[in-house]
Amino acid sequence: MANTAQLLRRQSSRDIVLKSQKSIDQLELRELRGRLVSKEHGVSHHHHTSLHHHHQPMYGATNQGFMSDAFDESSELEQEPPFGSDASTSKIKVELATAVDQQEQQDIVEGEKEGDERESWDSKIMFLLATIGYAVGLGNVWRFPYLAQKNGGGAFLVPYFIMLCIQGIPIFYLELAIGQRLRKGAIGVWSQVSPYLGGIGISSAVVSFIVALYYNTIIAWCLIYLLHSFESPLPWADCPTRLYKNYTYDHEPECVASSPTQFYWYRTTLQCSEGVDMPENFNYHMAIALIVSWFLVYICMVQGITSSGKIVYMTAIFPYVVLIIFFFRGITLKGAADGVAHLFTPRWDTLLDPVVWLEAGTQIFFSLGLAFGGLIAFSSYNPANNNCYRDAILVSLTNCGTSMFAGVVVFSVIGFKATATFDRCTEDRAALVAQNRTHNLPICDLQQELANSASGTGLAFIIFTEAINQFPGAQLWAVLFFLMLFTLGIDSQFGTLEGVVTSLVDMKLFPNLPKEWIVGALCLSCCLISMCFANGAGSYIFQLMDSFAGNFPLLIIALFECLSISYIYGVRRFSDDIEMMTGSRPGFYWMFCWKYLSPCAMVTILLASFYQLLTEGSSYPAWIAAQGATENMEWPHWCIVIAFILILSSILWIPLVAILRLCGIKVVEDSDPAWFPEAELREVHGIVPHEPTELERSIFCFNMDGTEGMCCPKYGLPEKSLEEEEE
């Protein structure tokens, strides 16, 4: 971004020099601008406000090097009088006064101090697409449909939307608002809230790093399937043949015992061993796919959000295009109506099962990508007056709508597959009955076939691929499907790694290294570590990390985020900040969620998850070659130890940083607050001090003197106006 800004400044300088014959010398312009700035400070508030309403500033232009562009654009709007005349001189002065006033308005709502070249989004739509692409991921396609049909069909939507309202949107709103207000990454934001809370940001960065390690493995799997989707016939359409010692051929017995799609997934792609203790051979195909996937992530991120933001135009929109194509293809298939009906037919008795509520809350939490630090990093690049409330509502509802739409698409195809299986079963049964065989007849049950749908990788790489095999032109549909999964995965990977990179940059751990080098070193280290997935036990290690590394730590981090805002930063102060940025104050409901409802929901989910883990244990499906099927096996003790290490390595930073700070040891160095136009925003929005209502005083312990009960001592940000900073 810095290089881009310098290029634009050099281009602006050349444009001014080329136009010097029609105006005056650039040095004189600067002197005149300086005189006009001091004069401008004395203009009336009415004139200042009217110009703000008439001028639409460039989104995210944060560097004062763009000031000359405003003059160039305005000077080309009409024909100038001959140079040297009084009219020409007067016109130039008026244009300069207008340009400077407009630029000051622009800097108030969007800028940073001169010399601070923090990156920014090129447009509002780029930010929204990046955030939607980050929130909408693979879980929307292969996790939500499975949970919905398993936990009551249409009845599952009741706890799903309740959890969205009391937990999902409030935390999403909180992260967008605090990132936009403090204008730093996760580590910088929570260190700014309190020096003792810097561990929250470090924990977010560590979790993001761990999740990025195994999440990119999914992208590598998608690349492997995408490459082989161009083959005809598809390699997972039929069982391979085996050459015996007597030079005879026959189908692979392991494949015959299972299915072509299962055999291709477990034995050809993953080269699965029969347990996590037996890694067996190194998987070279998987290693190459991992290298390619990390190289693609590096290429997309190396230029920062300006470059990766442009990429999201494709990666965020393309999955919706493919889903729409599959929707119209799916609803025309035989059995599609049965599949969709099975998904949404409500079974109201399931609402009494606490596990249903637990899974609804967990799905909402992880599908929105909360507590990773990516949302805080994304919002820190927004203008100071961006409406973060509207963004939170829009992205959250888009995420949930995508989950429901993907569920319709997936189960229309699953309904087609189940109907085809049911029809074959009934034909076989009829043929046996015709032969007067009445024993050991196959049991044909359409509802059971529909209920046998898997989640996660099983849904994408086994069940859905088996359904695609039966489509005319299966290669085309396979390419579209796996390209969609690839774009969904890499979009979420951007946001996950952006939280890590932004935290490293804001901490200034490597102050002499450019951001491009930091991104390169991060991707290289992740690529080397991810080679642990390129062996026979790699898929089991993936399941271990997915089950423990990204679940409990994120819930704990989000809980501390909510408690920090509510009881240390202060709900009243946080509401004042949002009113200052957006012009409207958060309602009573949002404040109640931040202070009471959301923390209670997260504590309940945490306790229920721990109880479920202790009572039911945890296992993984291991592929047994002799049976051609998976079998649940308990994790060995060393895997349990690794799981605890993964969890503790993430959350221990929260108390550790606070304890070391009490002992006088600074893990996170104090940094100056980012420039924020607080006084100017108050003037623009006409904000007056908020007087708490009687309900707010009784529920939130707001006092008339501005203090807040049940709130720890705060570490305030210095409130400086633009004029004070210039002095």
Side-chain angles (χ1 to χ4, degrees), residues 68-263:
S68 58
D69 295 339
F71 170 75
D72 292 339
E73 293 172 1
S74 63
S75 62
E76 291 176 354
L77 293 178
E78 60 182 76
Q79 184 70 30
E80 291 92 342
F83 177 71
S85 63
D86 294 339
S88 174
T89 304
S90 301
K91 181 177 181 298
I92 291 173
K93 291 182 178 180
V94 171
E95 288 174 341
L96 281 171
T98 304
V100 170
D101 193 16
Q102 290 176 345
Q103 184 63 36
E104 285 188 353
Q105 289 280 357
Q106 176 177 324
D107 290 341
I108 285 173
V109 296
E110 298 184 5
E112 307 250 351
K113 283 195 295 188
E114 186 173 3
D116 187 355
E117 294 184 350
R118 186 174 184 84
E119 294 176 296
S120 59
W121 299 103
D122 283 353
S123 64
K124 176 75 170 185
I125 188 65
M126 184 180 291
F127 163 72
L128 287 176
L129 286 177
T131 310
I132 290 172
Y134 166 69
V136 176
L138 296 167
N140 299 78
V141 175
W142 67 27
R143 181 67 177 164
F144 172 81
Y146 166 75
L147 289 177
Q149 67 89 22
K150 171 191 171 187
N151 294 306
F156 179 73
L157 298 179
V158 175
Y160 183 76
F161 279 102
I162 289 177
M163 287 298 181
L164 173 68
C165 293
I166 68 175
Q167 177 185 275
I169 299 179
I171 305 301
F172 199 94
Y173 185 13
L174 181 149
E175 292 197 353
L176 288 184
I178 197 66
Q180 182 176 316
R181 170 62 181 91
L182 300 182
R183 315 196 68 73
K184 293 177 180 289
I187 294 178
V189 159
W190 298 114
S191 298
Q192 202 73 51
V193 171
S194 169
Y196 296 94
L197 297 178
I200 298 177
I202 297 178
S203 294
S204 293
V206 172
V207 171
S208 297
F209 178 79
I210 295 174
V211 170
L213 277 176
Y214 71 82
Y215 198 86
N216 214 48
T217 306
I218 304 174
I219 300 176
W221 292 337
C222 294
L223 286 176
I224 292 174
Y225 270 76
L226 179 62
L227 177 64
H228 291 290
S229 295
F230 292 95
E231 299 180 15
S232 182
L234 292 173
W236 52 82
D238 297 301
C239 287
T241 56
R242 171 187 285 189
L243 176 63
Y244 292 93
K245 294 181 179 180
N246 59 358
Y247 299 100
T248 59
Y249 290 91
D250 196 7
H251 287 296
E252 181 69 44
E254 185 179 343
C255 179
V256 174
S258 55
S259 69
T261 53
Q262 281 185 309
F263 180 83

Side-chain angles (χ1 to χ4, degrees), residues 337-620:
D338 294 325
V340 176
H342 178 79
L343 173 63
F344 287 114
T345 300
R347 301 186 296 277
W348 299 110
D349 58 298
T350 58
L351 295 181
L352 300 177
D353 187 355
V355 176
V356 174
W357 293 82
L358 171 63
E359 293 194 337
T362 305
Q363 172 64 16
I364 278 292
F365 187 88
F366 298 118
S367 68
L368 289 174
L370 305 175
F372 281 103
L375 291 174
I376 294 177
F378 278 178
S379 64
S380 71
Y381 304 128
N382 269 330
N385 67 333
N386 177 63
N387 193 332
C388 52
Y389 170 70
R390 183 177 56 199
D391 294 343
I393 298 295
L394 176 62
V395 176
S396 300
L397 294 182
T398 300
N399 179 76
C400 295
T402 303
S403 296
M404 297 177 65
F405 182 61
V408 173
V409 173
V410 168
F411 267 85
S412 65
V413 176
I414 289 178
F416 162 71
K417 172 187 171 294
T419 301
T421 304
F422 176 76
D423 289 344
R424 287 195 300 269
C425 178
T426 54
E427 290 175 2
D428 294 341
R429 182 183 177 90
L432 292 174
V433 171
Q435 298 173 7
N436 295 323
R437 295 178 56 181
T438 58
H439 298 288
N440 298 324
L441 293 177
I443 300 175
C444 304
D445 187 350
L446 178 60
Q447 294 302 317
Q448 185 60 40
E449 289 292 335
L450 290 170
N452 285 338
S453 61
S455 68
T457 55
L459 174 63
F461 297 105
I462 297 176
I463 293 180
F464 215 87
T465 52
E466 187 175 338
I468 289 176
N469 286 339
Q470 304 174 47
F471 286 6
Q475 287 79 12
L476 173 62
W477 297 105
V479 168
L480 286 176
F481 178 68
F482 291 111
L483 192 57
M484 177 190 70
L485 293 184
F486 170 76
T487 53
L488 281 172
I490 204 167
D491 235 3
S492 298
Q493 186 77 335
F494 288 159
T496 304
L497 279 179
E498 187 63 39
V500 181
V501 173
T502 305
S503 297
L504 291 176
V505 172
D506 288 348
M507 284 185 69
K508 296 181 173 58
L509 293 177
F510 311 100
N512 298 323
L513 284 180
K515 186 175 180 180
E516 294 81 2
W517 286 59
I518 296 177
V519 172
L522 179 65
C523 290
L524 179 61
S525 61
C526 287
C527 183
L528 294 176
I529 299 174
S530 64
M531 289 299 112
C532 66
F533 302 112
N535 59 75
S539 62
Y540 306 138
I541 298 174
F542 170 87
Q543 293 175 49
L544 177 69
M545 297 181 71
D546 188 40
S547 299
F548 297 100
N551 290 359
F552 300 110
L554 289 174
L555 275 169
I556 295 172
I557 292 169
L559 175 62
F560 274 94
E561 286 182 354
C562 209
L563 295 176
S564 300
I565 291 297
S566 300
Y567 300 101
I568 296 180
Y569 194 83
V571 170
R572 181 173 183 174
R573 178 184 175 192
F574 189 53
S575 300
D576 290 341
D577 289 343
I578 294 176
E579 183 182 14
M580 177 175 55
M581 293 186 293
T582 65
S584 59
R585 192 173 185 84
F588 174 87
Y589 172 76
W590 302 111
M591 293 189 289
F592 186 79
C593 283
W594 291 327
K595 195 152 190 174
Y596 303 115
L597 204 54
S598 296
C600 289
M602 285 184 283
V603 169
T604 302
I605 291 176
L606 267 175
L607 294 178
S609 299
F610 280 123
Y611 176 78
Q612 188 181 38
L613 181 64
L614 292 175
T615 55
E616 299 180 7
S618 179
S619 59
Y620 68 99

